[in-house]
Amino acid sequence: MSYLEATNELYRNAALTPDVGLCCTTNPIWQFPGLSIPKIMQEMNYGCGSTVSAQDLVNNPKVLYVGVGGGMELLQFSYFSRQLGGVTGVDVVDEMLEASKENFKIAEQENPWFKSEFVNLVKGDALNLPIEDESIDVAAQNCLFNIFKSEDLKKAVSEMYRVLKPHGRLVMSDPICEQPMNKTLRNDDRLRALCLSGSIPLKDYIKVLTDAGFGTIEIRARKSYRVLSPNHYPTDELIFIESIEIAAIKDPMPKDGPCVFTGKTAIYYGNEEYFDDKNGHVLMQNQPLAVCDKTAAALEKSNTEIHISKSTWHYNGGGCC
């Protein structure tokens, strides 16, 4: 059995018998005004964060969500895209698609505004999406891509890039791990399917996105997820795993490389009214400006009267680029 087959089997069972402890997130379940999320959807919330953010969901966007789970985030996306087929959910597991379909019937009873027809459920593979080129405004996945091995991860990201419209957004939540993992962990198909042993360092995760062509990367959250301890897993050391929420925007790639926002700000405190670096960045006196890491490094070199903050690993748009 391949690691992908092991993953499909795990989530087939999770569709038939909801497993509340399958994934663990410290995120609250977003309950927007007028939105009721059925209990069964909450029990089948197999993510490690959230991909739903109002800032991405304006003007009735066309949304794609890969790996449908129990349908919770599909319902949340539908809240912002109330149109027939406005949200498409793709999954390779028949049982998960069927479970989501049944859960939408419950959601209709709890939400007068919601119609199951708002969501188009499609059987498909993340590595070969059954979606037209440049037809999606917002694409999302939650705790799925970390399962993929290197070449499959590159393929899954390139597929998302293909279906997004120019300036469209790929919004994701995934575990990451900065520590090396031994081969036993890496090659354990079940641990990979459980979103544990496939975690890679953040810089490698970002590189996959920028290599695919995404010109802007936003780190929106970074938080504790799990630990792999020697008394429970095949490891000689404690391994700390975090989860991230990240957005990759299909902007043109800048000539000097991608803009990666990790939550840094620049504050000019010199004697002039403002500082202009002549590269499109104007810093008003003692006013913080959100900057990407690339701009932060350039400003730090260009003027000794600019304070650059450390990465907060939280960024919600606006700023230098």
Side-chain angles (χ1 to χ4, degrees):
M1 181 181 291
S2 71
Y3 85 94
L4 291 175
E5 289 172 332
T7 300
N8 293 345
E9 182 64 23
L10 181 93
Y11 286 95
R12 183 175 296 111
N13 293 334
L16 296 172
T17 306
D19 185 351
V20 177
L22 183 61
C23 281
C24 175
T25 173
T26 56
N27 273 45
I29 302 297
W30 302 131
Q31 298 277 14
F32 299 108
L35 171 63
S36 174
I37 299 175
K39 182 180 179 181
I40 184 62
M41 284 187 174
Q42 297 183 41
E43 292 175 347
M44 297 178 69
N45 176 23
Y46 302 140
C48 60
S50 177
T51 62
V52 181
S53 179
Q55 70 191 47
D56 302 320
L57 302 169
V58 296
N59 299 323
N60 295 318
K62 289 287 187 179
V63 180
L64 168 67
Y65 189 74
V66 181
V68 300
M72 186 185 78
E73 285 185 278
L74 291 166
L75 175 63
Q76 291 172 319
F77 280 123
S78 295
Y79 180 86
F80 293 93
S81 184
R82 303 185 187 191
Q83 53 184 312
L84 298 181
V87 178
T88 298
V90 173
D91 205 299
V92 73
V93 179
D94 290 322
E95 290 81 359
M96 198 63 82
L97 289 167
E98 185 60 31
S100 290
K101 183 179 179 181
E102 292 302 312
N103 291 347
F104 289 144
K105 294 178 182 178
I106 301 172
E108 283 184 324
Q109 296 172 8
E110 296 186 14
N111 296 273
W113 59 268
F114 177 68
K115 294 180 176 61
S116 293
E117 292 79 8
F118 289 170
V119 182
N120 182 28
L121 292 172
V122 179
K123 183 171 183 178
D125 189 339
L127 306 180
N128 188 23
L129 291 171
I131 305 295
E132 294 181 5
D133 294 359
E134 298 188 353
S135 61
I136 299 296
D137 297 294
V138 178
Q141 65 84 21
N142 195 334
C143 214
L144 170 63
F145 281 12
N146 77 99
I147 292 171
F148 294 133
K149 294 183 178 180
S150 179
E151 292 306 311
D152 287 339
L153 175 59
K154 293 176 184 178
K155 177 62 175 174
V157 170
S158 68
E159 277 291 277
M160 291 292 220
Y161 186 89
R162 175 184 65 81
V163 303
L164 280 170
K165 298 177 183 177
H167 308 290
R169 297 171 177 235
L170 170 56
V171 188
M172 301 171 292
S173 179
D174 261 319
I176 59 167
C177 182
E178 303 298 342
Q179 296 170 252
M181 288 193 194
N182 62 50
K183 290 183 179 180
T184 302
L185 285 170
R186 289 293 189 200
N187 294 327
D188 189 311
D189 291 344
R190 180 168 175 79
L191 291 180
R192 184 174 285 274
L194 287 169
C195 302
L196 295 174
S197 64
S199 307
I200 61 176
L202 179 59
K203 64 178 180 61
D204 295 341
Y205 195 98
I206 291 174
K207 188 175 188 303
V208 173
L209 295 170
T210 56
D211 284 352
F214 290 100
T216 301
I217 309 295
E218 300 178 355
I219 310 299
R220 295 180 170 179
R222 183 172 179 172
K223 62 193 75 174
S224 297
Y225 178 62
R226 299 284 178 84
V227 293
L228 304 183
S229 59
N231 58 318
H232 291 293
Y233 298 93
T235 174
D236 294 329
E237 63 175 345
L238 195 71
I239 298 177
F240 174 53
I241 302 176
E242 300 169 280
S243 70
I244 55 164
E245 293 173 16
I246 187 169
I249 302 174
K250 194 175 178 178
D251 288 338
M253 183 64 68
K255 292 181 179 179
D256 57 350
C259 292
V260 179
F261 289 86
T262 63
K264 291 184 177 181
T265 58
I267 300 179
Y268 170 64
Y269 57 88
N271 294 322
E272 302 299 324
E273 183 179 353
Y274 63 89
F275 171 75
D276 186 348
D277 72 347
K278 308 302 181 183
N279 285 312
H281 311 111
V282 177
L283 280 70
M284 303 305 295
Q285 168 67 242
N286 209 27
Q287 296 294 313
L289 178 71
V291 291
C292 70
D293 290 7
K294 178 180 61 180
T295 298
L299 289 173
E300 197 165 29
K301 289 181 180 179
S302 67
N303 191 310
T304 59
E305 296 178 315
I306 295 177
H307 176 271
I308 304 294
S309 73
K310 295 181 180 180
S311 296
T312 63
W313 309 110
H314 178 80
Y315 176 78
N316 274 331
C320 74
C321 302

